[in-house]
């Protein structure tokens, strides 16, 4: 393998465009190929981002010998099949979240990656953002004292079109897997696994969750996490960790590059602002590129075990609120 990692991208939607744009800022990485179910869309995308190859099928990209790693940006329900396809053709994989529809799918993907000695990571870009790293540092290094309460929400008014991805159960629609995954991730990352989870949800007539809310109880640590998501109304989209000596807050919208406010026990505020050249996807792409060049099969910043814990927790929440997808059967 050369000192430059050659990337392929599966799908050409909005998130794929942002990733491709930011990949240009990543050292030792280049976009080599793109695949879409529409060859015309692939050609347009490839021309826009100077990719050498444009394919009208995912299979062609997976078999392309000039591609080292594939970024998968398809809807949720296709992640498992797309990932398995790429791994079976010897490709490292960075797959958008949720990486699978349930933890069982993820366990199968992890097993195959390890069998074939391939790098594999869920594309949880927030974990790599400078704003989130500062928030995480202040929340966990004792600056706010002992953590006692965590709040994180994510809400927006989604499309009412039943065929839209957010509404379409066949595409993994609903709030929890699309946006609720962010508050759940944050609580797990900051406080670890809770001793108890109590979740409630409102399902619409198509069986997707319009709104979910959960309390994570960390009995031994004396911590409560209050988490929620919704696709029927706007919410602050903030994350706050309160401790015995202060608090730290990720401002709106907390999952993207944003600002951080630290408040000490006297009520004095310190603001941390972050300026991005792009959308913020270059940080996860740089981590994947570095790991592959160093011969690593997973990231220590966001290891596979962290993804597995996240998805097992999502499974528990879905069981409590009655949210079931075809992949669960």
């Amino acid at each position: 393998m050369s000192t430059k990692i050659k990337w392929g991208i599966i799908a050409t939607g909005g998130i794929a465009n942002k990733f491709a744009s930011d990949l240009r800022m990543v050292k030792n990485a280049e976009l080599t190929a793109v695949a879409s179910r529409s060859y015309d869309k692939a050609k347009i995308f490839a021309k826009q981002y100077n990719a050498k190859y444009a394919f009208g099928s995912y299979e062609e990209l997976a078999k392309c010998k000039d591609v080292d790693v594939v970024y998968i940006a398809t809807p949720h329900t296709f992640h498992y099949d797309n990932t398995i396809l790429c791994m079976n053709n010897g490709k490292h994989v960075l797959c958008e979240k949720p990486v699978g529809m349930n933890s069982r799918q993820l366990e199968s993907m992890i097993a195959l990656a390890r069998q074939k000695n391939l790098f594999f990571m869920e594309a949880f870009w927030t974990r790599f953002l400078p704003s989130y790293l500062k928030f995480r540092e202040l929340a966990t290094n004792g600056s706010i004292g002992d953590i006692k309460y965590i709040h994180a929400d994510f809400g927006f008014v989604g499309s009412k079109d039943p065929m839209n991805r957010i509404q379409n159960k066949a595409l993994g629609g609903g709030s929890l897997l699309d946006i609720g995954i962010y508050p759940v991730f944050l609580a797990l990352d900051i406080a670890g696994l809770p001793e108890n989870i109590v979740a409630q949800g409102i399902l619409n007539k198509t069986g997707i969750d319009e709104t979910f809310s959960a309390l994570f109880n960390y009995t031994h640590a004396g911590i409560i996490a209050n988490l929620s998501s919704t696709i029927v109304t706007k919410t602050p989209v903030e994350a706050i960790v309160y401790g015995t000596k202060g608090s730290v807050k990720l401002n709106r919208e907390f999952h993207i590059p944003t600002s951080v406010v630290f408040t000490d026990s006297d009520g004095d505020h310190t603001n941390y602002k972050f300026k991005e050249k792009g959308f913020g996807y270059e940080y996860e792409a740089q981590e994947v590129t570095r790991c592959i060049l160093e011969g690593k099969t997973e990231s220590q910043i966001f290891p596979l075990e962290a993804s597995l814990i996240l998805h097992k927790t999502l499974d528990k929440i879905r069981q409590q609120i009655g949210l079931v997808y075809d992949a669960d059967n």
Side-chain angles (χ1 to χ4, degrees):
M1 186 183 295
S2 70
T3 56
K4 182 156 285 192
I5 298 301
K6 295 180 179 180
W7 285 78
I9 295 179
I10 284 181
T12 56
I15 197 167
N17 274 270
K18 290 178 179 179
F19 186 89
S21 178
D22 283 359
L23 190 62
R24 293 180 290 199
M25 295 186 282
V26 177
K27 184 180 179 182
N28 297 322
E30 67 178 21
L31 179 59
T32 299
V34 60
S36 171
R37 290 173 297 182
S38 164
Y39 179 55
D40 288 339
K41 288 183 178 179
K43 285 194 297 182
I44 293 170
F45 193 102
K47 182 178 180 180
Q48 182 177 355
Y49 297 106
N50 298 314
K52 183 178 180 181
Y53 303 101
F55 298 115
S57 74
Y58 302 157
E59 290 80 5
E60 289 176 281
L61 186 146
K63 293 176 181 178
C64 180
K65 294 182 179 180
D66 282 349
V67 172
D68 300 313
V69 57
V70 180
Y71 171 63
I72 295 171
T74 50
H76 309 341
T77 48
F78 301 114
H79 289 174
Y80 176 78
D81 288 342
N82 297 158
T83 296
I84 296 299
L85 170 68
C86 291
M87 287 183 181
N88 277 330
N89 282 278
K91 300 296 185 287
H92 305 290
V93 172
L94 172 67
C95 182
E96 258 310 320
K97 50 164 196 33
V99 68
M101 291 302 295
N102 52 50
S103 61
R104 186 178 69 248
Q105 286 190 343
L106 177 53
E107 287 172 336
S108 295
M109 289 185 272
I110 291 173
L112 184 60
R114 288 175 174 164
Q115 175 192 331
K116 293 183 173 293
N117 197 35
L118 293 168
F119 180 89
F120 178 41
M121 191 178 85
E122 183 171 19
F124 218 104
W125 69 308
T126 299
R127 179 62 181 84
F128 301 88
L129 295 175
S131 54
Y132 181 78
L133 294 178
K134 187 62 179 180
F135 168 83
R136 189 179 193 271
E137 174 193 350
L138 292 169
T140 60
N141 69 1
S143 295
I144 63 171
D146 296 330
I147 297 171
K148 289 300 174 185
Y149 182 72
I150 300 170
H151 168 85
D153 70 272
F154 200 140
F156 70 98
V157 179
S159 171
K160 300 297 189 295
D161 181 356
M163 298 308 295
N164 183 274
R165 179 186 62 82
I166 198 69
Q167 292 286 349
N168 192 335
K169 191 174 184 180
L171 297 179
S175 81
L176 178 61
L177 294 189
D178 194 61
I179 55 175
I181 192 171
Y182 286 103
V184 174
F185 152 78
L186 186 141
L188 294 173
D189 189 50
I190 297 298
L193 271 171
E195 281 84 30
N196 188 42
I197 296 173
V198 178
Q200 296 283 332
I202 296 176
L203 308 186
N204 68 14
K205 61 183 179 181
T206 65
I208 64 157
D209 66 304
E210 292 184 344
T211 302
F212 115 92
S213 180
L215 289 177
F216 285 11
N217 192 334
Y218 299 83
T219 309
H220 293 96
I223 302 171
I224 288 285
N226 190 343
L227 316 170
S228 64
S229 66
T230 180
I231 56 172
V232 293
T233 188
K234 290 183 179 180
T235 69
V237 195
E238 296 172 340
I240 311 173
V241 179
Y242 297 90
T244 53
K245 297 180 181 178
S247 66
V248 59
K249 176 184 177 185
L250 269 170
N251 288 323
R252 180 179 180 89
E253 300 170 341
F254 80 82
H255 66 299
I256 67 174
T258 186
S259 58
V260 177
V261 179
F262 168 70
T263 305
D264 64 22
S265 55
D266 295 324
D268 294 327
H269 305 293
T270 303
N271 295 299
Y272 300 90
K273 296 183 178 181
F274 300 85
K275 289 185 177 180
E276 298 292 337
K277 294 180 180 179
F279 299 101
Y281 291 90
E282 70 270 27
Y283 301 106
E284 64 175 1
Q286 186 66 72
E287 172 68 1
V288 175
T289 299
R290 181 189 66 81
C291 286
I292 293 173
L293 285 172
E294 294 178 2
K296 297 178 179 179
T297 56
E298 62 182 291
S299 167
Q300 293 307 303
I301 297 175
F302 192 59
L304 293 171
E305 182 62 22
S307 275
L308 195 54
I309 289 171
L310 171 60
H311 285 269
K312 286 183 176 180
T313 303
L314 292 171
D315 286 351
K316 290 180 180 179
I317 293 171
R318 290 204 294 117
Q319 185 177 23
Q320 288 193 30
I321 68 175
L323 179 59
V324 180
Y325 294 99
D326 288 345
D328 299 321
N329 300 319

